[in-house]
Amino acid sequence: IDVMNRVARLVRTLPRSFSGPQLVRTFASGDKPFKRKPGVSSPAELKAFVDAARANGQEVIVVDARNPDFGVEPGDEGMSKEFPIAQTLKGYRVRAINVPFNRVTKSLDIERIPKEWIEQAGGKSDVSIITHCGSGGRGEKSKQFLLTNGFKKVLNGGGPGDSECWSEFGHL
């Protein structure tokens, strides 16, 4: 009966968009329900975005906004052990580029995104980009910065902290 009460309390706290796998993961771990940060695309949106880019002969660019300087962003260190920051392992995530979001200047160094990747897709208005950090906060700020700077097809994928979203693009 205690288990049934726990399940009933948990289900009442869930947002309507909460999926079955999230419920199982949450209940099994005893954690509170996972809630995506504002602006993070759903797994279905990410899958459709990647599929549409591929249907148009494009490869998606993944902008990893995490900071490899753990003195600046100490929270990035723990997650980077299991999910390395882009470009830290040769041959891993070959379409991902590390462009840390700078919280002080509220910007990205867009010049770090290979120009040939952008040009291959037809330029800023046609290239498909997914931003991410650990779980989506800086990913959203990065997305907004890119949109403000002329990029048109940009989604925030959250990050490895959101395993359902990560499964749609984390391998790119």
Side-chain angles (χ1 to χ4, degrees):
I1 292 183
D2 182 50
V3 171
M4 299 276 291
N5 288 335
R6 185 174 170 208
V7 169
R9 279 193 313 271
L10 178 63
V11 169
R12 281 192 299 273
T13 66
L14 300 175
R16 290 181 187 257
S17 62
F18 208 71
S19 70
Q22 286 174 309
L23 176 60
V24 170
R25 183 178 72 220
T26 300
F27 183 71
S29 69
D31 292 339
K32 291 182 179 178
F34 180 80
K35 185 176 179 194
R36 286 194 177 91
K37 291 190 176 181
V40 174
S41 298
S42 71
E45 291 169 318
L46 291 162
K47 180 178 181 354
F49 188 75
V50 171
D51 290 348
R54 288 183 172 159
N56 289 323
Q58 270 192 42
E59 290 294 328
V60 174
I61 297 173
V62 177
V63 172
D64 185 341
R66 294 178 293 169
N67 196 323
D69 182 347
F70 304 135
V72 174
E73 291 285 353
D76 287 341
E77 183 174 17
M79 191 164 291
S80 71
K81 290 176 184 171
E82 186 175 352
F83 303 99
I85 292 174
Q87 300 168 282
T88 58
L89 292 177
K90 200 169 184 85
Y92 173 73
R93 299 179 62 210
V94 296
R95 291 295 291 187
I97 186 81
N98 180 232
V99 186
F101 182 80
N102 186 316
R103 291 183 194 264
V104 175
T105 62
K106 296 178 174 46
S107 66
L108 292 172
D109 181 2
I110 295 174
E111 296 300 314
R112 293 184 71 166
I113 302 171
K115 286 183 181 18
E116 60 271 14
W117 291 2
I118 297 168
E119 291 167 5
Q120 286 169 352
K124 284 183 176 183
S125 62
D126 293 321
V127 66
S128 298
I129 299 176
I130 296 175
T131 61
H132 81 85
C133 56
S135 59
R138 283 172 287 157
E140 180 61 18
K141 291 173 181 157
S142 299
K143 175 186 120 179
Q144 294 303 326
F145 185 82
L146 290 169
L147 290 170
T148 300
N149 283 277
F151 293 86
K152 304 291 183 209
K153 296 179 179 179
V154 187
L155 292 184
N156 175 9
D162 182 340
S163 60
E164 289 183 318
C165 288
W166 187 252
S167 69
E168 298 300 336
F169 75 92
H171 59 285
L172 302 175

